[in-house]
Amino acid sequence: MGTLQKLTGTEDILPITQFVGQEIKVADVGIWQRVEAIAREILHRAAYREIRTPIFEQTALFERGIGEATDVVGKEMYTFKDRGDRALTLRPENTAGVARAYIQHSLYAQGGAQRLWYSGPMFRYERPQKGRQRQFSQLGVEVIGSRDPRADAEVIAIATDILQAVGLKNLSFYLNSVGNQSDRQAYREALVEYLTPYKDELDADSRDRLSRNPLRILDSKDAKTQEIVQSAPSILAYLCDDSRQHFDTVQQLLTDLNIVYQLNPCLVRGLDYYTHTAFEIQSADLGAQATVCGGGRYDGLITELGGPDTAAVGWAMGLERLTLLLQQLQESQPPELDFYLVSRGEQAEGQTLAIAQRLRQAGFSVEIDLSSSAFGKQFKRADRSGAVGCLILGDSEAEHGTLQLKWLRTEEQQELSQADLPSAIPQLRQHIQQQRQSL
Ligand code: ATP
Ligand code: MG
């Protein structure tokens, strides 16, 4: 029997940088942690608070929340019966789950808008390819409880801040408005009327969508369909005065923030509850799966799920696509380590864990070499570990209750007393800081 392999469409994110074949670099967890730390900081500064909802939910939540006519619900969900015969689904996205939690815990009773963010795995049964997986991660925000166009502009500004702060360039930002429910209804009819004569020339998916979800035809990737759609009526011509005004204000706010955007009237989000603002941020460096971030306003969702009439806006970012872009940009960095602890001999080895724990509890990071191999080999690993200092414990040190410390960057060496280690800590801390700064 062969060894077991990960499932198609899933990835291992390893703590080391790896090359597969000549160039493809497997994601390194350091990139992920950097992205997450930057995003967390930016979200914190904007007063967004993290929400964690379950990874599986009742299937009905997604059928109602996302809409049965969508690809996600129709073709892509991981749905199963559990042992209690309940219909469950691994979440394909998290707006529905957050909206459910908002209603269930009456978060509207807190007053004002709830600014929420989440990050975690999503699951869709798709054809795996670069930038498209079956388990993937999204970072997302939701502002629930505000109709104000400043909320639309704020979430957009935060998305662009995060992408800029992680170092991405060559991004394009596309913006559209899909109006309110009745604008959309009027537009939908006009679009179906325009497309029906071309029915036989549309790609199979689009033909199928003509009755179920015609707006989604606008973002078909098929060349012939795209050509037909070029001359279709524009949704922007169907916006009522209120919708128009909301959209104008959003654009004005973005301009005031120096956020460059392009209007794209073909950009729709296929779901029924979407209203007004829709946007996508794309990268030219990603090939076919170009969209890094997609979002918009969804004033209809909370009522659709049985909650009070509540306006909301948000977005989700695909973190695999983001890390793919970052891998093209930079080398990963070794983790920061304060001390690498080498030892040899039974008595010395017996003392290592207590020393490491004392230093760790004082705030240092310490890696213990467990190999019992020759000192020479352990020193080589110490050099490669990126540690600032190497702690050395041999027979003689064990005997005398001492410890040699070699500062790896300057090659200085000093002797420490194990018993006096607590009093040496301020000096060690200062020395590590100096060595790091002098790099
Ligand atoms: P796409 O057109 O690429 O299928 P989508 O409209 O299905 O995207 P959304 O549901 O808006 O995507 O999800 C937001 C973001 O999540 C996408 O822009 C993308 O970056 C990421 N994403 C979506 N599906 C996948 C997937 N299967 N694998 C990796 N990332 C994904
Ligand atoms: Mg998709």
Side-chain angles (χ1 to χ4, degrees), residues 71-72 76 124 126 132 216 321:
D71 282 353
V72 172
E76 297 174 359
R124 297 185 194 176
E126 303 208 63
R132 190 175 294 289
R216 211 48 212 241
R321 294 184 194 177

mmCIF file with all atom_site columns, all heavy atoms in Angstrom, residues 71-72 76 124 126 132 216 321, ligand 2:
data_model
loop_
_atom_site.group_PDB
_atom_site.id
_atom_site.type_symbol
_atom_site.label_atom_id
_atom_site.label_alt_id
_atom_site.label_comp_id
_atom_site.label_asym_id
_atom_site.label_entity_id
_atom_site.label_seq_id
_atom_site.pdbx_PDB_ins_code
_atom_site.Cartn_x
_atom_site.Cartn_y
_atom_site.Cartn_z
_atom_site.occupancy
_atom_site.B_iso_or_equiv
_atom_site.pdbx_formal_charge
_atom_site.auth_seq_id
_atom_site.auth_comp_id
_atom_site.auth_asym_id
_atom_site.auth_atom_id
_atom_site.pdbx_PDB_model_num
ATOM   1  N  N   . ASP A 1 71  ? -23.943 29.221 -8.672  1.00 0.00 ? 71  ASP A N   1
ATOM   2  C  CA  . ASP A 1 71  ? -23.020 28.093 -8.868  1.00 0.00 ? 71  ASP A CA  1
ATOM   3  C  C   . ASP A 1 71  ? -22.588 27.518 -7.533  1.00 0.00 ? 71  ASP A C   1
ATOM   4  O  O   . ASP A 1 71  ? -22.472 26.310 -7.378  1.00 0.00 ? 71  ASP A O   1
ATOM   5  C  CB  . ASP A 1 71  ? -21.758 28.555 -9.607  1.00 0.00 ? 71  ASP A CB  1
ATOM   6  C  CG  . ASP A 1 71  ? -22.023 28.705 -11.091 1.00 0.00 ? 71  ASP A CG  1
ATOM   7  O  OD1 . ASP A 1 71  ? -23.130 28.332 -11.539 1.00 0.00 ? 71  ASP A OD1 1
ATOM   8  O  OD2 . ASP A 1 71  ? -21.122 29.201 -11.805 1.00 0.00 ? 71  ASP A OD2 1
ATOM   9  N  N   . VAL A 1 72  ? -22.329 28.420 -6.589  1.00 0.00 ? 72  VAL A N   1
ATOM   10 C  CA  . VAL A 1 72  ? -21.811 27.960 -5.300  1.00 0.00 ? 72  VAL A CA  1
ATOM   11 C  C   . VAL A 1 72  ? -22.780 26.948 -4.685  1.00 0.00 ? 72  VAL A C   1
ATOM   12 O  O   . VAL A 1 72  ? -22.390 25.856 -4.278  1.00 0.00 ? 72  VAL A O   1
ATOM   13 C  CB  . VAL A 1 72  ? -21.575 29.154 -4.340  1.00 0.00 ? 72  VAL A CB  1
ATOM   14 C  CG1 . VAL A 1 72  ? -21.233 28.665 -2.941  1.00 0.00 ? 72  VAL A CG1 1
ATOM   15 C  CG2 . VAL A 1 72  ? -20.457 30.039 -4.863  1.00 0.00 ? 72  VAL A CG2 1
ATOM   16 N  N   . GLU A 1 76  ? -21.240 23.599 -6.080  1.00 0.00 ? 76  GLU A N   1
ATOM   17 C  CA  . GLU A 1 76  ? -19.924 23.593 -5.428  1.00 0.00 ? 76  GLU A CA  1
ATOM   18 C  C   . GLU A 1 76  ? -19.931 23.220 -3.950  1.00 0.00 ? 76  GLU A C   1
ATOM   19 O  O   . GLU A 1 76  ? -18.867 23.114 -3.344  1.00 0.00 ? 76  GLU A O   1
ATOM   20 C  CB  . GLU A 1 76  ? -19.271 24.982 -5.605  1.00 0.00 ? 76  GLU A CB  1
ATOM   21 C  CG  . GLU A 1 76  ? -19.008 25.325 -7.059  1.00 0.00 ? 76  GLU A CG  1
ATOM   22 C  CD  . GLU A 1 76  ? -18.507 26.757 -7.270  1.00 0.00 ? 76  GLU A CD  1
ATOM   23 O  OE1 . GLU A 1 76  ? -18.381 27.515 -6.295  1.00 0.00 ? 76  GLU A OE1 1
ATOM   24 O  OE2 . GLU A 1 76  ? -18.261 27.119 -8.438  1.00 0.00 ? 76  GLU A OE2 1
ATOM   25 N  N   . ARG A 1 124 ? -15.210 24.585 -1.399  1.00 0.00 ? 124 ARG A N   1
ATOM   26 C  CA  . ARG A 1 124 ? -16.065 24.533 -2.593  1.00 0.00 ? 124 ARG A CA  1
ATOM   27 C  C   . ARG A 1 124 ? -15.565 23.413 -3.490  1.00 0.00 ? 124 ARG A C   1
ATOM   28 O  O   . ARG A 1 124 ? -14.352 23.301 -3.714  1.00 0.00 ? 124 ARG A O   1
ATOM   29 C  CB  . ARG A 1 124 ? -16.017 25.858 -3.373  1.00 0.00 ? 124 ARG A CB  1
ATOM   30 C  CG  . ARG A 1 124 ? -16.554 27.033 -2.581  1.00 0.00 ? 124 ARG A CG  1
ATOM   31 C  CD  . ARG A 1 124 ? -16.597 28.308 -3.427  1.00 0.00 ? 124 ARG A CD  1
ATOM   32 N  NE  . ARG A 1 124 ? -16.787 29.458 -2.562  1.00 0.00 ? 124 ARG A NE  1
ATOM   33 C  CZ  . ARG A 1 124 ? -16.793 30.716 -2.976  1.00 0.00 ? 124 ARG A CZ  1
ATOM   34 N  NH1 . ARG A 1 124 ? -16.614 31.000 -4.265  1.00 0.00 ? 124 ARG A NH1 1
ATOM   35 N  NH2 . ARG A 1 124 ? -16.960 31.709 -2.128  1.00 0.00 ? 124 ARG A NH2 1
ATOM   36 N  N   . GLU A 1 126 ? -14.693 22.530 -6.582  1.00 0.00 ? 126 GLU A N   1
ATOM   37 C  CA  . GLU A 1 126 ? -14.381 23.167 -7.860  1.00 0.00 ? 126 GLU A CA  1
ATOM   38 C  C   . GLU A 1 126 ? -13.297 22.381 -8.557  1.00 0.00 ? 126 GLU A C   1
ATOM   39 O  O   . GLU A 1 126 ? -12.658 21.515 -7.961  1.00 0.00 ? 126 GLU A O   1
ATOM   40 C  CB  . GLU A 1 126 ? -13.844 24.584 -7.615  1.00 0.00 ? 126 GLU A CB  1
ATOM   41 C  CG  . GLU A 1 126 ? -14.781 25.460 -6.822  1.00 0.00 ? 126 GLU A CG  1
ATOM   42 C  CD  . GLU A 1 126 ? -14.594 26.925 -7.169  1.00 0.00 ? 126 GLU A CD  1
ATOM   43 O  OE1 . GLU A 1 126 ? -14.851 27.275 -8.341  1.00 0.00 ? 126 GLU A OE1 1
ATOM   44 O  OE2 . GLU A 1 126 ? -14.185 27.695 -6.295  1.00 0.00 ? 126 GLU A OE2 1
ATOM   45 N  N   . ARG A 1 132 ? -7.125  28.201 -7.423  1.00 0.00 ? 132 ARG A N   1
ATOM   46 C  CA  . ARG A 1 132 ? -8.478  27.687 -7.214  1.00 0.00 ? 132 ARG A CA  1
ATOM   47 C  C   . ARG A 1 132 ? -8.379  26.327 -6.534  1.00 0.00 ? 132 ARG A C   1
ATOM   48 O  O   . ARG A 1 132 ? -7.856  25.386 -7.101  1.00 0.00 ? 132 ARG A O   1
ATOM   49 C  CB  . ARG A 1 132 ? -9.226  27.564 -8.544  1.00 0.00 ? 132 ARG A CB  1
ATOM   50 C  CG  . ARG A 1 132 ? -10.713 27.274 -8.364  1.00 0.00 ? 132 ARG A CG  1
ATOM   51 C  CD  . ARG A 1 132 ? -11.478 27.283 -9.674  1.00 0.00 ? 132 ARG A CD  1
ATOM   52 N  NE  . ARG A 1 132 ? -11.537 28.576 -10.324 1.00 0.00 ? 132 ARG A NE  1
ATOM   53 C  CZ  . ARG A 1 132 ? -12.260 29.602 -9.879  1.00 0.00 ? 132 ARG A CZ  1
ATOM   54 N  NH1 . ARG A 1 132 ? -12.967 29.492 -8.786  1.00 0.00 ? 132 ARG A NH1 1
ATOM   55 N  NH2 . ARG A 1 132 ? -12.257 30.748 -10.528 1.00 0.00 ? 132 ARG A NH2 1
ATOM   56 N  N   . ARG A 1 216 ? -25.542 37.001 -14.069 1.00 0.00 ? 216 ARG A N   1
ATOM   57 C  CA  . ARG A 1 216 ? -24.265 36.306 -13.981 1.00 0.00 ? 216 ARG A CA  1
ATOM   58 C  C   . ARG A 1 216 ? -23.643 36.073 -15.360 1.00 0.00 ? 216 ARG A C   1
ATOM   59 O  O   . ARG A 1 216 ? -22.434 35.845 -15.469 1.00 0.00 ? 216 ARG A O   1
ATOM   60 C  CB  . ARG A 1 216 ? -24.510 34.979 -13.257 1.00 0.00 ? 216 ARG A CB  1
ATOM   61 C  CG  . ARG A 1 216 ? -23.376 34.415 -12.419 1.00 0.00 ? 216 ARG A CG  1
ATOM   62 C  CD  . ARG A 1 216 ? -22.742 35.399 -11.502 1.00 0.00 ? 216 ARG A CD  1
ATOM   63 N  NE  . ARG A 1 216 ? -21.314 35.105 -11.330 1.00 0.00 ? 216 ARG A NE  1
ATOM   64 C  CZ  . ARG A 1 216 ? -20.744 34.801 -10.165 1.00 0.00 ? 216 ARG A CZ  1
ATOM   65 N  NH1 . ARG A 1 216 ? -21.442 34.772 -9.081  1.00 0.00 ? 216 ARG A NH1 1
ATOM   66 N  NH2 . ARG A 1 216 ? -19.455 34.559 -10.104 1.00 0.00 ? 216 ARG A NH2 1
ATOM   67 N  N   . ARG A 1 321 ? -4.524  33.267 -3.220  1.00 0.00 ? 321 ARG A N   1
ATOM   68 C  CA  . ARG A 1 321 ? -4.132  34.109 -4.371  1.00 0.00 ? 321 ARG A CA  1
ATOM   69 C  C   . ARG A 1 321 ? -3.201  35.222 -3.909  1.00 0.00 ? 321 ARG A C   1
ATOM   70 O  O   . ARG A 1 321 ? -2.255  35.591 -4.592  1.00 0.00 ? 321 ARG A O   1
ATOM   71 C  CB  . ARG A 1 321 ? -5.375  34.671 -5.053  1.00 0.00 ? 321 ARG A CB  1
ATOM   72 C  CG  . ARG A 1 321 ? -6.186  33.557 -5.695  1.00 0.00 ? 321 ARG A CG  1
ATOM   73 C  CD  . ARG A 1 321 ? -7.383  34.049 -6.474  1.00 0.00 ? 321 ARG A CD  1
ATOM   74 N  NE  . ARG A 1 321 ? -8.265  32.913 -6.756  1.00 0.00 ? 321 ARG A NE  1
ATOM   75 C  CZ  . ARG A 1 321 ? -9.420  33.005 -7.362  1.00 0.00 ? 321 ARG A CZ  1
ATOM   76 N  NH1 . ARG A 1 321 ? -9.874  34.180 -7.763  1.00 0.00 ? 321 ARG A NH1 1
ATOM   77 N  NH2 . ARG A 1 321 ? -10.144 31.927 -7.574  1.00 0.00 ? 321 ARG A NH2 1
HETATM 78 MG MG  . MG  B 2 .   ? -16.299 30.897 -7.925  1.00 0.00 ? 2   MG  B MG  1
#
